[in-house]
Amino acid sequence: MEEQVMSYSLLEMATKGGWIMIVLAILSLVAIYLFGKKLWLISKASKIDRYFMNDIQDYLHAGQVKNAKALCGKYDTPVARMTEKGISHRHAPLQEVQAAMENAGNVEVARIEKGLSGLASIAGGAPMIGFLGTVTGMVKAFFNMANSGNNVDITLLSGGIYEAMITTVGGLIVGIIAYFAYNFLVGRVAALTASMDTATMDMLDILESMPEGVEEEKE
């Protein structure tokens, strides 16, 4: 007699996890949305011409402030907006220019980081929800056992235990993926912040090296 081997697809296994798996599925979709949105935003914010600061220096040293600001307006990036802020405060002491650019940078970083906390919450919350499914599944298994009296059948326990294991696995998978996605984005934000700090220092160097007697064109 041939032995029958039972097999399940991933979808069939997921349905065995009960309503907890629906919650985990929703969290996974939210995590994917947040990751994609933030990755696109950070990638867009990081794109700028490598000769950008050199062109700004050439314009300012030539007194072409209007062209320098126009170049900043060409790029929809934090570095460009910070540089434009520095140009607007070019006649102020360097400490004030630095403060103005850093304040603008803080606003940009806060805008980019908005929503990352949601990804972190999913990374921490998904495993806990999975463990909640583990508890409810075990409660279900023992409830069935208690109601069966002396006729304990393994099939009465298997449903609850199966639910407990599936939700644990589902919660850990969603949580681990969200955790790595969050840390990847945090690393990208840190790299962007470093480039913004470099732009601030470059702008201060440009203003400090301004030649004397440069006539600026009217804006």
Side-chain angles (χ1 to χ4, degrees):
M1 183 176 180
E2 295 183 359
E3 182 181 355
Q4 291 184 348
V5 180
M6 295 182 63
S7 62
Y8 289 104
S9 67
L10 290 177
L11 181 59
E12 289 174 330
M13 291 177 64
T15 56
K16 295 290 184 180
W19 64 271
I20 292 289
M21 295 301 294
I22 298 176
V23 177
L24 292 174
I26 293 173
L27 288 179
S28 65
L29 293 176
V30 173
I32 292 172
Y33 169 76
L34 290 176
F35 177 76
K37 178 181 178 181
K38 287 302 167 185
L39 182 60
W40 175 81
L41 182 62
I42 295 171
S43 299
K44 179 182 176 183
S46 302
K47 289 181 180 179
I48 197 165
D49 190 346
R50 60 178 177 171
Y51 299 111
F52 174 74
M53 295 307 298
N54 290 334
D55 293 337
I56 291 294
Q57 177 175 325
D58 292 340
Y59 283 137
L60 291 181
H61 284 191
Q64 300 175 5
V65 178
K66 191 183 220 179
N67 289 338
K69 287 189 174 183
L71 181 61
C72 292
K74 179 181 176 182
Y75 298 99
D76 183 20
T77 64
V79 169
R81 284 188 284 272
M82 288 174 61
T83 302
E84 185 173 8
K85 183 70 68 174
I87 294 173
S88 299
H89 290 77
R90 64 190 179 279
H91 297 303
L94 292 180
Q95 291 84 354
E96 293 185 17
V97 176
Q98 182 176 2
M101 293 185 69
E102 288 179 349
N103 289 337
N106 291 335
V107 172
E108 295 289 342
V109 171
R111 182 177 65 87
I112 292 172
E113 289 182 338
K114 184 178 180 182
L116 283 181
S117 59
L119 197 57
S121 297
I122 293 175
M128 297 178 65
I129 294 174
F131 291 142
L132 174 62
T134 302
V135 174
T136 58
M138 295 306 296
V139 169
K140 178 180 178 181
F142 284 109
F143 179 79
N144 292 336
M145 182 189 299
N147 288 338
S148 65
N150 295 326
N151 300 320
V152 178
D153 187 351
I154 190 63
T155 57
L156 295 175
L157 305 177
S158 60
I161 296 175
Y162 202 87
E163 178 181 328
M165 295 300 100
I166 290 296
T167 55
T168 300
V169 172
L172 288 174
I173 290 175
V174 175
I176 290 171
I177 293 175
Y179 175 78
F180 282 110
Y182 171 77
N183 281 285
F184 175 78
L185 292 178
V186 167
R188 293 291 301 270
V189 172
L192 177 59
T193 302
S195 68
M196 293 164 64
D197 291 338
T198 300
T200 300
M201 294 299 102
D202 290 342
M203 188 64 196
L204 294 177
D205 290 340
I206 291 174
L207 295 179
E208 193 173 18
S209 64
M210 284 286 291
E212 297 182 0
V214 175
E215 294 185 6
E216 296 183 357
E217 61 182 4
K218 293 184 179 180
E219 299 183 48

